[in-house]
Structure formats: C-alpha cells, structure tokens
Amino acid sequence: MDHIAQIAGKLADHQLDAMLLASQAGERYAVGFHGEGLVLVTREGAHYSTDSRYIEAARQEVQGAQVELVTRERGHLALAAGYLQEHGLKRVGFESGAVSVDALARYERALPCTLVPAQDLPDGLRASKDGEELAAMEAAQRITDEAFQAILNFIRPGQTEREVAARLVYELLRRGGERVSFDPIVAAGANGSKPHAVPGDTVIQPGMFVTMDFGCVWRGYCSDMTRTVAVGKPAPEMERVYQVVLEAQQAGIAAGAGLAGREIDAAGRTVIQAAGYGEAFSHSFGHSLGLEIHESPNAAPGEERIMPVGAVVSAEPGIYLPGRFGVRIEDVIVLSETGCRDLTKSPKELIVL
C-alpha cells in the first residue's frame, strides 16, 4: 500500500510539483498514520511533520516519508516552506475540498509557491481500494456483522431507541472497533420514515419496525450497514414494503462496476417505482466509503462518473412512509470486473423478534 508513490506518480498529470495533505483522511491515506500532521508529497519523495504528542508513534509507524518534529518556533508551514524554497517547487496542490478559507489564507501567506486546488488527485486514487484497504474494510464489516447479531439478542419491547443505540456502540467497540463510523441511527415505528432519525426516547412496542444504521472504524477504514427488523408480527403492508426494498437492493447490487453511478441507482429505483413507492424513496441508492464514511463517486441519480473497479459502495435503498414506518436495507459491496462482492454477511430476510 504505497500511496505516496501513487500520489507522486499523478503529480505530472496535474501539472504539480508537490501535493499538500493536511486533512485526517488525506494524512492517513498518504502515510498510514494520523497525528494531526502535514504531508508534503513531491516527485522525489514525501515529508511528514507532526508535534511532540505524536512524534514517537509517527517514527515507529510512518513508512516512506521523512518524519520531522514541529516546534513552536518552526511549525508545519515553516518546514514546508523551507523545503519548497530549497528545491524550487513552484506549483503545489492542496485539498480544496477540505481546506477552509482561513486555512488557505494561512497557506498563501506562509508558502512561497502557487497553490492549486487539487482535491480530484487524492479522490481519484481513493476511489479504488487496494488489497490492504479492502482487508481493513472487511475487518470493520465483520465487527459490524457481529454487533448486529448481538443486538438482536438485546432488543425487546419497552426499550428506547437511545438504549439500543448505546448498546450498538458498546458492541462495536468491545469487538475491536476503534470508534464508530458515525453516530448510530435507531428509528422505531413512525420514526423510521426519517432516513437520518436521531435516537431518542421513543419506546419500542410490539408490531413496530426498528431500523438501525451503524458502523465502525478499523485501522482507519469505515464500515456501514442498515437493517430493519420487526418486533412482533408486522402488518401485511410492512412485509410487502420490506420485500420491495430487498428486491431493489438486489437489483442495484447486480448492476456492478463499469456503469455510471446513475445507472446503478436507476436499477434499484426502478423496482421501487414499479411497486408504486417511487415518491417514498428520497435519497440515492448508495455512496462510496473508505477512510471517510462518505466518499465519491456515488450511486446517485445525477452521478455521471463511472463506478470504477475496486470502489467500495453502499447499497441502501429505502421506502419511507411519513407518520407510519420506514424500511432501509444496506450492505457494503466491492465492485469488480465481473460484478461485485458483498462484504456484509448479515441476513437480509425480514427478521421478526
């Protein structure tokens, strides 16, 4: 996983002498370590600076880059400026999707170069995962599958959404997750019609659907999954809606790599529209993920970019009926030349607790 060499190899294509990476994801992608530092990748190599809180760990873990200690007297930008000036590097790309206006102003004051927006350089590389990245994401997903099995034995009538969400976090972390990928969503009954419902004090009761959307991070990489389960026997329409969502997900997954994101979205969306619930599917079919829970490209209606081989994409269609209930089923898949591989191993048939 020599991402430094990959970034360096793309500099000429973008007419850059160097690339500056300071976001958590950019730093982690380039050097495999996050220490609130700064990475400067040139065509000849890379330099990584961090402070005294992280320097010992960085010297042990960072490979392929010269590691330097910043001080109050000589900070990240001063070190970078010195190197740029010494080697006559004039055009430097920066993460335009992650750098604030204030940060860019600091860069412009401190660095003797032309700063070029270049978010598409790391994004293009990160769109396709390599073997080590996929192994980390498989491990994160395995933890998530195990947490789902555990939560099935925990949920019962009388509990609140908040209690289930707290237990999910516990189950993810106790199994090796570094942290959660995002705050878990737990939506019971009518709250299930809100795709990003915040867990609250709603009490789970017999006859309700409970939708849970959750994931964890392992070695910097995210997992993501959603399951909707029934507590007690669901009503016939609830079962019917669940089956439509499952069929839509299977249709989108079958689309595979080499298609534009909108085509994958359409494969799943068509199933829901044909069943008469088109207006109740309000978001895209899925999104890329990796070091961040939302990356690109996406399986979305307006996405013209081709989904590349090696992309890791969520498959998460849903139907949301305001004031009544909602259903979402989400797996994480890896796109390949022959189709896709599903990293999510939890069952998708309707589970009745």
Side-chain angles (χ1 to χ4, degrees):
M1 187 169 64
D2 190 353
H3 292 162
I4 290 173
Q6 292 179 30
I7 295 168
K10 290 291 184 181
L11 292 175
D13 293 345
H14 291 261
Q15 299 180 315
L16 298 174
D17 298 319
M19 181 75 197
L20 195 66
L21 300 129
S23 71
Q24 179 174 342
E27 178 189 0
R28 185 76 184 234
Y29 182 77
V31 299
F33 179 80
H34 171 56
E36 298 183 23
L38 186 147
V39 186
L40 180 66
V41 180
T42 73
R43 300 186 190 189
E44 287 72 40
H47 299 263
Y48 176 68
S49 58
T50 190
D51 61 43
S52 59
R53 297 170 297 169
Y54 304 101
I55 190 65
E56 182 178 2
R59 285 171 174 161
Q60 292 171 345
E61 298 181 34
V62 171
Q63 296 182 355
Q66 180 180 337
V67 179
E68 299 182 73
L69 173 67
V70 299
T71 64
R72 292 180 181 177
E73 293 75 27
R74 191 166 174 79
H76 297 289
L77 294 178
L79 286 172
Y83 187 86
L84 295 173
Q85 194 162 28
E86 180 182 353
H87 294 273
L89 304 179
K90 299 298 184 183
R91 287 179 57 84
V92 177
F94 69 96
E95 297 172 285
S96 46
V99 173
S100 68
V101 172
D102 287 348
L104 179 58
R106 289 196 299 273
Y107 290 178
E108 290 173 334
R109 289 194 298 268
L111 300 176
C113 64
T114 299
L115 289 163
V116 181
Q119 187 67 53
D120 54 339
L121 191 160
D123 282 358
L125 292 172
R126 287 170 54 191
S128 295
K129 273 59 178 180
D130 60 31
E132 287 188 43
E133 291 178 293
L134 290 176
M137 297 191 75
E138 287 183 77
Q141 189 56 53
R142 186 164 54 249
I143 292 168
T144 306
D145 282 324
E146 292 173 0
F148 176 65
Q149 291 302 312
I151 206 67
L152 293 179
N153 297 320
F154 178 79
I155 296 173
R156 62 184 182 275
Q159 291 175 328
T160 66
E161 297 166 331
R162 198 188 309 275
E163 288 174 311
V164 175
R167 185 71 180 204
L168 275 171
V169 173
Y170 168 74
E171 296 293 351
L172 291 167
L173 298 187
R174 75 182 289 263
R175 285 172 165 76
E178 296 169 1
R179 61 183 185 278
V180 294
S181 304
F182 52 92
D183 292 337
I185 296 168
V186 177
N191 291 333
S193 69
K194 306 167 187 173
H196 276 194
V198 176
D201 296 321
T202 297
V203 176
I204 296 170
Q205 298 176 13
M208 282 184 170
F209 269 158
V210 178
T211 297
M212 296 170 287
D213 189 344
F214 56 102
C216 72
V217 175
W218 196 82
R219 293 192 176 178
Y221 285 82
C222 297
S223 66
D224 191 3
M225 71 176 283
T226 305
R227 289 294 184 269
T228 300
V229 301
V231 179
K233 183 171 177 56
E237 186 183 12
M238 295 168 70
E239 293 182 310
R240 185 166 62 253
V241 167
Y242 189 96
Q243 189 60 33
V244 171
V245 172
L246 179 57
E247 291 174 5
Q249 193 208 38
Q250 292 168 334
I253 288 174
L259 300 175
R262 62 174 176 78
E263 294 177 283
I264 296 176
D265 179 272
R269 192 172 300 276
T270 299
V271 174
I272 293 176
Q273 290 172 336
Y277 292 102
E279 295 299 318
F281 180 20
S282 55
H283 54 74
S284 64
F285 181 84
H287 58 86
S288 292
L289 64 154
L291 287 166
E292 296 177 291
I293 195 60
H294 291 104
E295 298 189 349
S296 63
N298 298 308
E303 183 62 88
E304 297 292 341
R305 289 174 291 181
I306 299 299
M307 304 299 289
V309 169
V312 179
V313 186
S314 70
E316 52 176 311
I319 292 175
Y320 309 96
L321 304 178
R324 300 177 63 197
F325 64 90
V327 174
R328 183 166 66 256
I329 307 169
E330 177 186 20
D331 287 12
V332 167
I333 59 176
V334 183
L335 302 183
S336 69
E337 294 177 348
T338 57
C340 72
R341 179 163 60 93
D342 198 331
L343 299 185
T344 309
K345 306 306 180 185
S346 294
K348 291 187 279 191
E349 296 73 21
L350 178 58
I351 295 172
V352 180
L353 302 177

